[in-house]
Amino acid sequence: MKNIILEKKTHVHFEKLLSSNRLCLNKKQLAFSPLAISCVYSSIFGPYSMDVMTSCVFSVDLDSINDPSNPFITHATKLFRFSVPLFLFQGCFPVFIPLLNLLGVSLFPKSSTTFFRKYFSTGKPSEDQALSCQIFTPMLRGFLMVPFISIPTGLNDHEILSQLTMLLFAGYETSATTLVFLAYTLARNPEVMKQLQQEIDLTFPNKGLVQYDSLMQMEYLSSVVDECLRLYPPAARIERMTKETVRIKGITIPKNMIVQVPVYALHRDPDLWPDPEEFKPDRFSKENKHNINPYAYLPFGMGPRNCLGKRFALVMIKLALVKVLQTYSFLVCEETEIPLKMHPEGLVGPLKPIKLKLKKRTVVSDVEN
Ligand code: HEM
């Protein structure tokens, strides 16, 4: 299944996505008033991530800023308000999941899953349409084309819908939160932001069109995003279950034991990262990157079950950051919380919405001073 989504020519899809506007911040999303104090998350990055994910996963074009009461948005948003204790219980004791299902206890609200089921069964394209029509995204087409590619029986509606919902669930908040933390860390590190704006202006002069290949070749942008994901990896830990009993450094881990990898703690371990609390993108520069132990840096996990949307997320995040920084600078203001209080539950995220000032850049020379 993973191979179907991660088609070899992914970059061609991304180029198409960029030119089709599916990944673009719209004018409203970029229309801050100069020097406005703004809650960055709720004003742009949340709706941006929602619009991109629903558009690319479900082939549904939404406008979360102007039409926030669209039922698709209401139900998609509800998926993220799941019970964390129930989530942890299911993770720790998967053996009870069938019993919970029997009792009608579900992680996601029934009204929302029913909405998506109805939506999908009435609105999904036929296999022929999906094969021929370019308006359906590669993801949706990939799932509908499964019978032609790998599994002779194909996937039933329930299986396709579960995959699509999983993609939305896995991609929306992780990407939105990363963008918020990028805005926060850049506001707190203006010299880094200036260097990044310089790279942006050089790569896309006169706020030029952002192109996939150039975007992905931006070295400083990559380092900034990597370093932000080190400090704020949305998934604080990942899990694996042992298939066999193993002995590692004198510790025996029995078969079928769930092992948690503390990603957040690893990323801030002073033995692995000098000055771990400091935001230093140069750790990820071309010259320094090879010194990083790949098992010490796991924002997208590792191995065959690593993040399926990694490349997608990086394009979406880099594009949004470049578009915003072409026009605005992030600034801390009185309302900016320093240090940040983190949410104790769920994904790594701030306890309260982050507030920053946005200053409209006057001219490109802004960054040359
Ligand atoms: C900054 C954004 C993102 C971060 C930090 C992130 C992080 C992660 C992590 C840590 C895992 C677990 C990997 C492991 O256990 O080794 C994961 C799994 C996954 N992610 Fe992401 N993710 C992001 C965005 C996305 C997006 C945009 C999508 C979809 C387009 C996505 C889809 C998935 C899926 C489907 C899985 C499960 C993969 C599997 O079990 O084989 N993620 N992600």
Side-chain angles (χ1 to χ4, degrees):
M1 180 68 61
K2 221 163 183 168
N3 291 338
I4 295 167
I5 304 173
L6 296 175
E7 289 168 61
K8 282 189 191 120
K9 292 184 181 161
T10 326
H11 75 276
V12 179
H13 295 315
F14 281 131
E15 255 167 22
K16 277 192 196 153
L17 282 173
L18 284 184
S19 57
S20 72
N21 269 357
R22 276 187 195 279
L23 279 184
C24 281
L25 280 161
N26 65 34
K27 278 199 185 121
K28 268 263 162 102
Q29 284 169 328
L30 271 174
F32 315 111
S33 58
L35 287 176
I37 291 176
S38 170
C39 159
V40 171
Y41 180 84
S42 61
S43 57
I44 48 165
F45 295 137
Y48 166 70
S49 179
M50 177 61 81
D51 290 355
V52 169
M53 290 309 297
T54 48
S55 161
C56 293
V57 173
F58 282 91
S59 292
V60 176
D61 287 324
L62 298 175
D63 182 355
S64 307
I65 286 200
N66 294 312
D67 184 17
S69 51
N70 182 309
F72 207 99
I73 299 173
T74 323
H75 287 293
T77 315
K78 274 191 195 164
L79 292 182
F80 302 96
R81 296 205 203 106
F82 61 88
S83 150
V84 175
L86 180 62
F87 176 72
L88 291 177
F89 181 78
Q90 289 194 0
C92 294
F93 308 104
V95 66
F96 287 110
I97 292 177
L99 179 68
L100 292 172
N101 288 345
L102 264 179
L103 295 172
V105 180
S106 137
L107 207 53
F108 301 120
K110 260 220 154 74
S111 59
S112 300
T113 44
T114 310
F115 170 84
F116 285 114
R117 201 171 303 126
K118 262 195 200 153
Y119 174 86
F120 189 68
S121 59
T122 51
K124 75 161 187 175
S126 70
E127 280 150 6
D128 283 350
Q129 278 174 321
L131 275 172
S132 60
C133 184
Q134 291 302 310
I135 63 164
F136 300 113
T137 62
M139 284 191 210
L140 185 49
R141 259 188 286 142
F143 286 121
L144 292 162
M145 283 158 60
V146 165
F148 303 97
I149 301 171
S150 56
I151 309 169
T153 48
L155 297 175
N156 63 33
D157 280 6
H158 177 78
E159 287 164 336
I160 295 177
L161 185 60
S162 305
Q163 296 293 334
L164 295 179
T165 315
M166 173 64 196
L167 289 174
L168 179 66
F169 184 72
Y172 160 67
E173 199 158 343
T174 43
S175 308
T177 313
T178 303
L179 277 163
V180 173
F181 281 127
L182 274 163
Y184 179 75
T185 40
L186 289 173
R188 291 194 57 197
N189 295 274
E191 67 303 335
V192 173
M193 186 172 55
K194 277 193 174 178
Q195 195 173 330
L196 179 56
Q197 283 172 324
Q198 239 152 9
E199 189 189 43
I200 293 171
D201 294 344
L202 274 174
T203 316
F204 307 108
N206 305 316
K207 296 192 197 171
L209 193 71
V210 178
Q211 271 157 350
Y212 174 75
D213 284 335
S214 314
L215 183 73
M216 299 322 273
Q217 277 162 20
M218 292 174 68
E219 281 177 24
Y220 198 62
L221 174 65
S222 255
S223 305
V224 167
V225 174
D226 288 348
E227 173 67 344
C228 181
L229 283 166
R230 180 189 68 81
L231 277 174
Y232 303 107
R237 64 193 82 83
I238 54 176
E239 289 176 358
R240 292 292 184 271
M241 187 188 271
T242 48
K243 283 171 105 179
E244 299 297 335
T245 299
V246 282
R247 201 169 161 75
I248 302 172
K249 292 198 175 175
I251 299 171
T252 303
I253 308 173
K255 185 180 173 179
N256 293 338
M257 165 81 66
I258 291 177
V259 180
Q260 295 205 333
V261 182
V263 177
Y264 187 90
L266 267 178
H267 284 191
R268 291 179 184 240
D269 183 338
D271 291 339
L272 298 165
W273 309 93
D275 303 323
E277 305 297 322
E278 300 287 310
F279 179 65
K280 291 184 175 173
D282 288 337
R283 298 178 208 269
F284 292 89
S285 69
K286 233 182 183 174
E287 300 74 46
N288 298 334
K289 216 173 177 171
H290 66 275
N291 293 323
I292 296 171
N293 175 344
Y295 291 97
Y297 182 65
L298 301 166
F300 293 101
M302 180 61 83
R305 297 305 298 267
N306 74 349
C307 176
L308 181 116
K310 175 179 172 182
R311 291 182 64 188
F312 182 89
L314 289 175
V315 178
M316 164 178 170
I317 287 165
K318 288 178 179 178
L319 174 71
L321 195 61
V322 165
K323 294 289 274 183
V324 175
L325 288 178
Q326 277 181 325
T327 312
Y328 294 93
S329 298
F330 299 113
L331 271 71
V332 289
C333 58
E334 276 174 20
E335 280 91 339
T336 311
E337 194 181 40
I338 301 175
L340 263 187
K341 283 198 194 81
M342 304 299 277
H343 207 289
E345 289 181 345
L347 293 175
V348 171
L351 186 60
K352 294 190 214 140
I354 292 179
K355 298 208 173 174
L356 298 171
K357 202 188 267 188
L358 287 147
K359 187 179 174 207
K360 197 158 192 169
R361 292 177 65 198
T362 42
V363 278
V364 175
S365 56
D366 203 356
V367 293
E368 285 159 4
N369 302 329

